[in-house]
Structure formats: structure tokens, C-alpha cells
Amino acid sequence: MNQENAFLPHVIAPKLLKIIESQTPIGKFYKKATYMSLKNEPGSLDFTIGDSHEMPLHGFVEALQKNAIPQKIGWYGYKVSLPETKKIVSEALKKHRGISIVPDDIFMTNGTIVGLAICLKMLAEEDDEVILNLPPWFGYRKMIQSVGANPIGIPVKPQTFDLDLEKIADSITEKTRAILINSPHNPTGKIFSASTFEKLANILTEASKRYGKPIYLISDETFSRIIFDNQECLSPTQFYPYSFLVYGYSKTWMAPGQRIGYIALPETMPNRPEIRSLIGQLQGLYFGWCFPSALMQYALEDLEKLDLNLDKLQAKRDRMVTELQNMGYEVNIPQGTFFLLVKSPWEDDGAFAELLATNYQVFVFPGTPQEIPGYFRLSLTANDEMITQALPKFKAAREEALKIESKTGS
Ligand SMILES: Cc1ncc(COP(=O)(O)O)c(C=O)c1O
């Protein structure tokens, strides 16, 4: 037990303490107090995470204000997933994704994280294995461990960032309960194709037969409405029946503090009536009332009409890609998400992020803590002014880095 947590055995179950203390790459990064405190100083240009550096979307506040006014008694009583909200989600899935899911198969949650937590808690327990693709969203490992299961990480292919289907197939054992898929993928921005999902479905079907029990697919589709160049973004749940589609509106509205999302069951999922009732029960008192707030459910109809302005986001992506490439950076062009993955001029991405931070007040998220060493990630949720200020600094930092490299010959 480390010094800092010495008092914890009085209040925390030992297994949970062990999980908290097991160091993930992201945990080590967040312990770097200097980096984190510098980031919050005035004048810093923060590109690390997906918090928006602009005012909320036009109409967002009005939707909340309008729906905050009670229209009847009981407006703020205990609420489960509201039928009218589920209907709006069902229509939105059809309109934006071409997916047919009936309202009864939709379960409202407080964002993607809660949907993922419900699926993991329901499916997996002590010593089960859950496969995830690396680099992962930084929350996955601890979420899997927190239900007692072991995360089994499979790196995506290095050049294409596509799923490594062969390695996924090889990693399935009798302990495998589920696989977690994230498309568009944070941080690579990769959208996995229909043929990838078809092959993945075959692998899972085969392995399920081999072990005599279904291996479930949990699909994190939180970025599914942030797609560039009008590309198609398919859901793996449309290829494999034993799947849970998990979504949250945090990214779409760029307002992750005001939370709503859902779990949806594909039409092909067997035993849907039983699963509906199960999720309904678990979501309630068993899992600590994991239903979303009444207000966000009322507001969803108006919020669904908001325009994220993907053209503006894409213009930011194109500007940053072009300018960084012109400076000599190697930039991965994302198909979706609002992240840019850039090759670090130094192999040690943490050291380069530190150089940017300390000498230029520019903050990026290094690749090592995200399990993609040699890169750093930038969030396009920065505003135009920040980008304008940061671009010459990126240029100067790269030049400085290359000079130091040639000086030391390393
Ligand atoms: C891949 C991925 N999944 C889930 C989340 C959490 O989403 P939410 O805020 O909807 O819970 C994030 C947030 O960054 C993410 O990038």
C-alpha cells in the first residue's frame, strides 16, 4: 500500500484498493503535478482533453431553461427512462445512423460511461476477461478491473490503426466475456469498416460456439456523430447479435458536464424481453439509480435539434493538419472524433509534451499514457484564437527539439 492511501483500508474494500493502486499508464501521467498545475495557469493553451473552449452550442441553454420549468406536478419526481425520450432516441438512431431500434430496447443513462459501467457490471465478474483494443480510451482499464475482470489489450495495426482481427481471435479464451469496440476510435480517429465488423462477427460467433456461451460485444459509439468528409459510420451491433450499443451526447453537444446517453439493444439480440427487464432492474436500485436526470430527458427533444456544425470542426481539423504538416510534423488525419494524433519529434513523447508545456505554454496529451508511444494527441475543441496562438509555438517547439536532438546526437 502506498503512503498516500495508508488510511484507506478503514473505508475501502481491499480489492478496490488494489485496483486504485494498480498503476495504469494514465494514472502515472496524472500524478505529474507540475504538468497538471501549469496547464491551469492563465494564458496556457490547453489541447489535452475534449472540453470545449467555446460557449455552448446555440440553443443549448434555451433547451435547458425551457424544460426546467415544471409543466405538471411530479415533474421532478423519480424518473426511469421516459417513454417519450426513448422514442426520440429511436427516431434519432434511424435518422443519423440508419439503425432501427424500438423504444423498448433503449435505456437512458447519464452518458456513455454509465452505459459502459452497466454493461460491464452486468456481464463480467471476478477473473473474467474483457478484450479491448489499444490504444484504449483511458477509462476502460479501470472500469473493467472494477468489476473484477481482467482487461486483455490487443494493439491496433501500427500503420492503418485497423483492428488486428487475427490477434483478437487468438486472444479469446474460455474466460472471455466480452469485447469492447470503439468506433470512431479515440485517439486514432479511425472508423472501422463493414468488412472489419463482418470478420469480427464471424470470429465472435465461432468462439461463442466453441466455448458454448455467447461472447458479448460492447460498442462505445460516443463519437458516432462526429464524422468528417461525410463518411459512413457503421455500428458493429448491426453485424453481431449479442451486442450492446452505448452512446452519450457529451461529444455531440460538446457539453460533457450536462449528461445524458443510452444503451440500446440491436433488433437481432436474442432474449430481448428478458434482457430489457434485467437492465431495467439492474439500472435501478442494484446499480445505484443509474437513470439520467429528469431534466435532460425532457430537454432531449429540443437538444436533438441542435447543430454541432461539423463543417466548422472539419475546417479546424484541416487547418491544423495542413499547418502542422507544413512545419514537418507527421499528422494522422482522423476520419472521426475531434482528436488529432501527431508523431512526436522526439521518441519520448512525454519529454516533448513537457517541452511544449514549459517553454511554450502549449499543453498536449502525450501518447505513452494513452498507450500509443511516440505520438501526442491534440483536441480540436480548442477555439480558433487558441489555434492561431499555438501554431507558431508548435513550429518553434519542433525546431527546438530537432536542434537539441542534433546537439546531443541522440
Ligand atoms: C471513447 C470514449 N468513451 C467514453 C467517453 C466518456 O463519454 P461520456 O462523457 O458520454 O460518459 C469518452 C470521453 O472522452 C471517450 O472518449
Side-chain angles (χ1 to χ4, degrees), residues 111-113 116 137 140 182 186 220 222-223 248 250-251 256 259:
T112 315
I113 298 176
L116 294 173
W137 173 57
Y140 291 153
N182 170 220
N186 171 10
D220 176 346
T222 193
F223 284 104
S250 298
K251 316 293 170 198
R259 307 181 55 71

Side-chain angles (χ1 to χ4, degrees), residues 153-177:
I154 305 296
V156 293
K157 292 191 172 162
Q159 300 307 325
T160 59
F161 296 143
D162 214 337
L163 296 183
D164 193 330
L165 294 166
E166 257 172 55
K167 292 218 173 89
I168 289 175
D170 289 347
S171 71
I172 298 175
T173 70
E174 72 219 272
K175 291 185 175 178
T176 308
R177 264 308 260 162

Side-chain angles (χ1 to χ4, degrees), residues 19 28 34 39 51 78 135 263 278 343 357 363 371:
I19 292 165
K28 285 184 202 147
T34 47
K39 188 167 94 90
D51 266 340
Y78 279 118
I263 302 169
L278 184 68
K343 262 266 172 75
F363 292 79
E371 304 187 46

Side-chain angles (χ1 to χ4, degrees), residues 248-267:
Y249 286 86
S250 298
K251 316 293 170 198
T252 310
W253 300 330
M254 293 198 189
Q258 199 59 43
R259 307 181 55 71
I260 194 170
Y262 55 83
I263 302 169
L265 310 179
E267 281 183 317

